[in-house]
Amino acid sequence: MVEKCYNCAVLGNPISHSLSPVLHNAAYKALGLNNWHYSKEKVSEEDLKDFIAHLDDSWKGLSLTMPLKKTIMSLGVACDYWAKTLGVANTAVFSKKPCIENPETIELCNTDVNGIVMALVRALKSKILNAKSAVIIGSGNTASSAMAALIEIAQGSKLSKVSVVARLQSDGKTVKSVSRFNDLVDKYKLDFPNSRRIEPENFEIKNKRDYKPVCGIEFPASEPLQIDDLQSIEKCDKSHILESISSLDAIEAIANADIVISTVPAHVADGLALALCEYCKEKSIKYLGALLDVVYSPRPSQMLKVWRKYGIGIGGEEMLLYQALDQVKLMTFEYRHSSDDSSDDSSDDSCIIKHKSIKATDYDYIRSCMEKALQEAL
């Protein structure tokens, strides 16, 4: 009997840079799923609905990247807490034949949040327990997932303050996402009354709702510098700092934070890297906290080049790895745990397919195979 083939893919625009196929196909190989294939497809927001409508029942799941993480929400049903709460999903799992007229067959999940948490936990290990302050650079969909990850990290650490370094709202007064992120902190506490709210230890105030754990720092718009190498950064004079950022408030917050998560596209933070390099030299700073830069192309980013001179620098490939591992679990779960395929002649013993194996549930083994494939591709 010829075994049926199954398909998954990552969708986005642009998409040529994506390394998701490397990770997922490595996982399929580790799982022994030789009849599974994962590809990448260039799909715009306008074309997403039509793309899904034309998929056949060989398709089991999709990964969504920029700019589709919000667009997908109207086409399926959010099936985990963060997809529901953030209104952002990077994963779609087809429980039946994908049919755009029946959203209940498209289950939406957010694995970005756990990807960020795991990347930081793996790098910081026990040090993460003592993290007290964090900075998020950016205010988009990935920044929302970063805030959610910090809320989860706060449950087992001393995290009490988050700063958002981003551009101003259209009103020209408030920094983007600050209000939204504070609302997110409050909502999590309401949904999980026994959880730890991000706030200082021994916090004394009659109405704790008056305390806002997330504050904003303006990140003025500027042209990406696209500096070629670290040596070029170190040779720049102070005048370039003023061209890239009008205030050192952001640099001071970043330099003093235990955790920094940069969610902005490639080169957007090059000006911050320049200013940070100069700031560390002027202040004789020898140690920084940990930086997770979600960008993995180019690799390493300018922020990581500077940061790794002083602290723990985590590339976006780490987040990519862990969010992809969760996606593999979700997309292949039903298939791996079925006792036979969907052949019409289910009574024929020759049709029985044993999907279960030790490797099918040994996620450390799967992760190591994915990590090896990723490093070879980078």
Side-chain angles (χ1 to χ4, degrees):
M1 182 190 70
V2 178
E3 196 169 9
K4 183 176 180 179
C5 293
Y6 295 95
N7 295 294
C8 296
V10 57
L11 312 184
N13 186 17
I15 199 63
S16 60
H17 67 285
S18 177
L19 293 176
S20 291
V22 172
L23 289 165
H24 285 254
N25 286 319
Y28 298 160
K29 183 177 180 180
L31 287 164
L33 302 181
N34 299 322
N35 58 327
W36 281 63
H37 177 69
Y38 187 100
S39 60
K40 52 186 173 184
E41 306 288 340
K42 184 178 179 180
V43 178
S44 66
E45 291 182 89
E46 295 77 16
D47 296 334
L48 180 59
K49 183 175 181 179
D50 186 62
F51 179 90
I52 294 177
H54 286 85
L55 299 180
D56 60 30
D57 61 1
S58 70
W59 285 80
K60 292 297 182 180
L62 297 172
S63 304
L64 292 309
T65 187
M66 189 176 72
L68 305 177
K69 295 182 181 182
K70 278 190 176 293
T71 310
I72 191 66
M73 297 306 296
S74 63
L75 305 179
V77 176
C79 291
D80 66 21
Y81 179 78
W82 289 119
K84 293 176 183 177
T85 303
L86 300 177
V88 175
N90 70 324
T91 310
V93 179
F94 302 128
S95 57
K96 297 180 181 178
K97 179 180 178 180
C99 177
I100 213 68
E101 285 77 24
N102 185 5
E104 291 184 359
T105 65
I106 304 176
E107 300 173 354
L108 304 178
C109 303
N110 185 315
T111 68
D112 280 338
V113 175
N114 191 54
I116 294 171
V117 172
M118 290 305 300
L120 288 167
V121 168
R122 186 186 185 197
L124 288 171
K125 299 181 173 62
S126 62
K127 292 181 180 178
I128 202 168
L129 301 177
N130 294 317
K132 295 181 179 180
S133 62
V135 172
I136 298 173
I137 304 174
S139 58
N141 293 336
T142 306
S144 294
S145 294
M147 187 65 228
L150 291 175
I151 290 173
E152 292 204 352
I153 288 171
Q155 304 312 307
S157 72
K158 300 177 181 178
L159 189 63
S160 61
K161 183 180 180 181
V162 178
S163 298
V164 180
V165 174
R167 297 177 183 177
L168 295 178
Q169 300 273 24
S170 57
D171 61 13
K173 298 178 181 179
T174 56
V175 174
K176 288 183 177 180
S177 296
V178 172
S179 177
R180 186 169 89 245
F181 289 173
N182 276 310
D183 289 343
L184 192 62
V185 173
D186 290 338
K187 185 179 188 310
Y188 189 86
K189 182 62 179 177
L190 287 174
D191 292 340
F192 303 97
N194 294 325
S195 65
R196 178 185 176 276
R197 187 175 185 269
I198 297 178
E199 59 189 31
E201 291 182 350
N202 304 317
F203 187 50
E204 295 182 2
I205 187 171
K206 291 183 178 180
N207 185 2
K208 289 189 176 183
R209 288 184 177 275
D210 291 340
Y211 175 71
K212 299 300 181 184
V214 183
C215 65
I217 302 174
E218 181 185 359
F219 180 20
S222 61
E223 291 297 322
L225 298 180
Q226 299 193 32
I227 305 166
D228 293 331
D229 53 46
L230 182 57
Q231 188 176 10
S232 297
I233 295 177
E234 293 176 331
K235 289 182 178 179
C236 288
D237 59 44
K238 296 179 183 179
S239 64
H240 287 89
I241 296 176
L242 300 178
E243 293 175 7
S244 61
I245 185 167
S246 63
S247 169
L248 287 180
D249 290 346
I251 299 302
E252 291 174 351
I254 289 169
N256 292 323
D258 297 307
I259 296 173
V260 177
I261 305 174
S262 178
T263 68
V264 296
H267 298 301
V268 172
D270 285 357
L272 285 175
L274 169 62
L276 180 65
C277 184
E278 189 64 36
Y279 182 84
C280 288
K281 287 192 296 182
E282 284 192 354
K283 301 295 183 181
S284 299
I285 292 176
K286 296 182 179 181
Y287 303 103
L288 295 173
L291 166 71
L292 169 61
D293 192 335
V294 302
V295 170
Y296 61 89
S297 178
R299 174 180 178 267
S301 66
Q302 298 303 328
M303 279 291 285
L304 279 179
K305 286 181 181 179
V306 171
W307 200 278
R308 285 172 175 167
K309 295 177 61 180
Y310 306 96
I312 299 172
I314 311 161
E317 64 274 8
E318 289 293 314
M319 172 191 170
L320 184 71
L321 170 65
Y322 285 104
Q323 63 85 29
L325 177 58
D326 282 348
Q327 288 182 332
V328 170
K329 295 177 186 179
L330 291 167
M331 293 178 188
T332 67
F333 180 86
E334 183 179 359
Y335 179 84
R336 288 185 292 109
H337 290 80
S338 62
S339 59
D340 59 72
D341 70 355
S342 56
S343 171
D344 292 334
D345 187 9
S346 58
S347 61
D348 186 349
D349 290 340
S350 65
C351 292
I352 301 299
I353 302 173
K354 300 296 183 182
H355 302 310
K356 293 182 180 180
S357 68
I358 295 175
K359 291 182 180 179
T361 53
D362 185 356
Y363 292 116
D364 284 337
Y365 169 76
I366 299 168
R367 180 196 56 76
S368 66
C369 291
M370 295 170 73
E371 187 172 32
K372 181 180 178 180
L374 181 61
Q375 292 302 320
E376 291 175 352
L378 288 169

